C-alpha cells in the first residue's frame, strides 16, 4: 500500500511539472497503416518534451514496413511516433488542444502510433479532465441530473487514476472499451459532461490514502453486490447497499432462449436447467444441467451473452422448448449504480452523498 501512495505522489508531482495529469488510452488497432490528420499537425518521438516537426497539409500516413515505421513514405527512427495538433494555434489553447483524427476516431490530446506485435497500435495521450468529459458522454446518459453526472465524473476519475497507478511505466494505462471505461473521443463530449467534470476537477475517492477501485455499472436492480461476489475483489468499500433503482422500469428485463440456443452456447444438454447457487443478494453463482454438469454464474452469462443476460440477478423457467429468463439490473452490480445515482439525484441528494452511499468508508481527496 505504501508503494501505491508513493506512486501516487510521484504521478502528482509529474502532473504539476507538466501542468496537467494525462492518461494513455489504447484505441483500436489499425493494422499495418493508419492516417492521422489535424490542423497544425506535427510529429516527433513519444515523449512529453518532444520537438515536433510540422507535417505538410496537416495529414500523415503511417505504415509498418519490414518491422519499421514510415511517415508519408519516409523512414522514422524508433518504435513509436507521437502526433500533436495545433502547433500553429494562437487562439485555441496552444499546441495539443486541436482535435486529431486517427483512423476512425477523433480525439483531443496527442496520438501515438507504435509498433505492436505484427501491426500498429494507436494510443491517445490525453489530459485526464478532457478524457473524462468524453467518458461521461459514453458511460452515462447526458440527460441525467447534474449531480448524478458529477458522481460519475468522480468515480471515473478515481477509476482511471487507479488504473494508471496499476499500469505505471506501461505503454498505455487503459483500453477504450467496456473492459475498462467506454471512451468515444470528441464526439461523446457534451456541455453537461464538461460542466460535471469541471465542477469536480481533481477530486477522487480514496481509502487508506490510495485511490479506490471505483467500479460502477448501469443498474443493480435494487441492491448492489459485494466486490468479492461480483469481481473477486474483497474491498471494504464495495459492499451491498440498498438502491432506489429497483423501482425503475429500466432495471427489469427478460429474455427467451430456445433449447437449441442454450445447447450451442453451453456445449451441453440444457434440459432441466436450474439455478443451484446464489449470492446473498440473489445473484446466480451456479447453474446445473440435466446431466449433472454445472457452470458458474459468470461463465454462464458470458457464454449466453451480456446483452441477453443483462445481469446475474435472474430467475429462469422452462416454457415448452424455450427458457424464459426474468431479471433485475444491468451489469456486475458492484459500486456506483448509475440509474440509482439518477434516482438519488432526483430526490435532491448531492454527488458526494451519492458516492458515499455506494462506496461506504471511502474519503474524498482533492488531488489538484
Amino acid at each position: 500500500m505504501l508503494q501505491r501512495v508513493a506512486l501516487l505522489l510521484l504521478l502528482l508531482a509529474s502532473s504539476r511539472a507538466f501542468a496537467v495529469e494525462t492518461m494513455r488510452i489504447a484505441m483500436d488497432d489499425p493494422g499495418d497503416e493508419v492516417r492521422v490528420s489535424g490542423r497544425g499537425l506535427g510529429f516527433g518521438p513519444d515523449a512529453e518534451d518532444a520537438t515536433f516537426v510540422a507535417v505538410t497539409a496537416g495529414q500523415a500516413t503511417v505504415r509498418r514496413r519490414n518491422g519499421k515505421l514510415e511517415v508519408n513514405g519516409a523512414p522514422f527512427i524508433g518504435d513509436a511516433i507521437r502526433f500533436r495538433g495545433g502547433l500553429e494555434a494562437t487562439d485555441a489553447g496552444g499546441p495539443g488542444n486541436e482535435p486529431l483524427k486517427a483512423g476512425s476516431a477523433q480525439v483531443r490530446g496527442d496520438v501515438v502510433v507504435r509498433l505492436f506485435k505484427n501491426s500498429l497500435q494507436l494510443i491517445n495521450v490525453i489530459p485526464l479532465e478532457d478524457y473524462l468529459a468524453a467518458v461521461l458522454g459514453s458511460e452515462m446518459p447526458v440527460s441525467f441530473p447534474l449531480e448524478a453526472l458529477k458522481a460519475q465524473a468522480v468515480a471515473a476519475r478515481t477509476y482511471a487514476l487507479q488504473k494508471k497507478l496499476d499500469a505505471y511505466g506501461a505503454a498505455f494505462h487503459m483500453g477504450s472499451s467496456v473492459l475498462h471505461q467506454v471512451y468515444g473521443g470528441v464526439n461523446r463530449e457534451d456541455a453537461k459532461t464538461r460542466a460535471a467534470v469541471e465542477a469536480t476537477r481533481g477530486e477522487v475517492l480514496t481509502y487508506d490514502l490510495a485511490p479506490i477501485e471505483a467500479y460502477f455499472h448501469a443498474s443493480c436492480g435494487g441492491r448492489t453486490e459485494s466486490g468479492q461476489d461480483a469481481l473477486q475483489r474483497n474491498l471494504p468499500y464495495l459492499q451491498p447497499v440498498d438502491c432506489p433503482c429497483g423501482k425503475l422500469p429500466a432495471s427489469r428485463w427478460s429474455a427467451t432462449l430456445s433449447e437449441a440456443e442454450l445447447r450451442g452456447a453451453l456445449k451441453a444438454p440444457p434440459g432441466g436447467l436450474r439455478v443451484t447457487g446464489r449470492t446473498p443478494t440473489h445473484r446466480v453463482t451456479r447453474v446445473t444441467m440435466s446431466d449433472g454438469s454445472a457452470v458458474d454464474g459468470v461463465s454462464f452469462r458470458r457464454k449466453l451473452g451480456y446483452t441477453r443476460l443483462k445481469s446475474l440477478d435472474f430467475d429462469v423457467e422452462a416454457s415448452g422448448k424455450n427458457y424464459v429468463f426474468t431479471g433485475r439490473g444491468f451489469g456486475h452490480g458492484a459500486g456506483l449504480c448509475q440509474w440509482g445515482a439518477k434516482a438519488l439525484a432526483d430526490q435532491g441528494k448531492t454527488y458526494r452523498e451519492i458516492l458515499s452511499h455506494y462506496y461506504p468508508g471511502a474519503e474524498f481527496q482533492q488531488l489538484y
Side-chain angles (χ1 to χ4, degrees):
M1 212 284 291
L2 290 176
Q3 183 182 20
R4 294 181 60 76
V5 173
L7 277 173
L8 175 60
L9 294 174
L10 177 61
L11 287 174
L12 291 177
S14 299
S15 70
R16 292 189 183 100
F18 290 109
V20 66
E21 181 73 50
T22 60
M23 294 294 299
R24 294 177 65 96
I25 308 300
M27 301 156 65
D28 291 340
D29 296 344
D32 292 329
E33 179 178 317
V34 64
R35 180 173 296 176
V36 182
S37 60
R39 289 195 303 173
L41 185 68
F43 72 95
D46 182 16
E48 294 288 346
D49 57 352
T51 298
F52 291 84
V53 177
V55 178
T56 304
Q59 182 171 289
T61 299
V62 181
R63 294 186 178 89
R64 178 191 179 102
R65 191 183 299 276
N66 298 323
K68 296 183 179 181
L69 294 171
E70 287 185 354
V71 182
N72 288 340
F76 180 86
I77 298 174
D79 59 3
I81 309 172
R82 188 157 174 162
F83 290 91
R84 178 171 293 174
L87 296 184
E88 302 170 357
T90 59
D91 59 353
N97 188 70
E98 185 71 29
L100 298 180
K101 185 172 183 181
S104 61
Q106 188 174 23
V107 297
R108 297 192 187 277
D110 296 349
V111 169
V112 174
V113 184
R114 75 179 189 116
L115 298 171
F116 182 65
K117 298 181 179 179
N118 294 319
S119 62
L120 299 174
Q121 182 182 46
L122 291 176
I123 296 173
N124 184 197
V125 185
I126 181 172
L128 175 55
E129 303 300 309
D130 287 336
Y131 165 72
L132 292 172
V135 166
L136 259 65
S138 303
E139 287 282 5
M140 178 177 275
V142 297
S143 61
F144 276 18
L146 183 59
E147 292 302 305
L149 288 166
K150 287 158 69 174
Q152 179 68 69
V154 175
R157 183 183 295 108
T158 305
Y159 183 87
L161 187 56
Q162 192 271 332
K163 289 297 182 184
K164 182 172 182 175
L165 289 168
D166 278 351
Y168 185 70
F172 61 91
H173 305 130
M174 300 170 64
S176 57
S177 72
V178 293
L179 295 178
H180 288 127
Q181 296 184 132
V182 179
Y183 168 60
V186 173
N187 293 334
R188 302 303 299 186
E189 295 176 7
D190 182 85
K192 284 187 68 176
T193 67
R194 283 208 161 273
V197 170
E198 186 59 32
T200 63
R201 186 177 185 84
E203 193 170 10
V204 298
L205 290 161
T206 64
Y207 191 88
D208 285 343
L209 301 180
I212 69 169
E213 296 182 36
Y215 290 98
F216 53 87
H217 58 280
S219 170
C220 67
R223 189 163 176 79
T224 64
E225 183 60 283
S226 71
Q228 179 62 46
D229 286 329
L231 305 159
Q232 290 72 59
R233 306 293 294 146
N234 187 19
L235 300 167
Y237 48 80
L238 291 181
Q239 301 299 328
V241 298
D242 290 334
C243 177
C245 85
K247 298 178 181 180
L248 301 176
S251 71
R252 304 287 172 167
W253 57 269
S254 65
T256 300
L257 283 78
S258 68
E259 285 192 357
E261 289 175 306
L262 287 169
R263 189 178 300 111
L266 301 173
K267 310 302 181 185
L273 177 151
R274 66 190 189 282
V275 174
T276 53
R278 294 185 184 274
T279 71
T281 66
H282 196 257
R283 290 171 172 85
V284 173
T285 60
R286 185 181 179 88
V287 176
T288 301
M289 266 63 72
S290 60
D291 64 352
S293 63
V295 60
D296 67 88
V298 172
S299 297
F300 184 78
R301 184 178 174 223
R302 174 176 53 79
K303 290 179 179 180
L304 266 61
Y306 297 120
T307 57
R308 279 178 164 176
L309 296 189
K310 295 183 178 181
S311 77
L312 286 175
D313 186 359
F314 65 79
D315 296 295
V316 58
E317 292 183 355
S319 177
K321 293 185 177 182
N322 296 324
Y323 285 85
V324 179
F325 295 80
T326 55
R328 294 150 294 277
F330 191 173
H332 52 65
L336 175 72
C337 172
Q338 293 171 325
W339 278 92
K342 176 189 182 303
L344 291 173
D346 286 338
Q347 294 172 15
K349 301 294 185 182
T350 67
Y351 77 95
R352 285 193 166 195
E353 290 175 320
I354 293 169
L355 291 167
S356 294
H357 177 72
Y358 289 109
Y359 305 108
E363 298 181 337
F364 294 89
Q365 298 288 343
Q366 194 73 40
L367 294 186
Y368 52 86

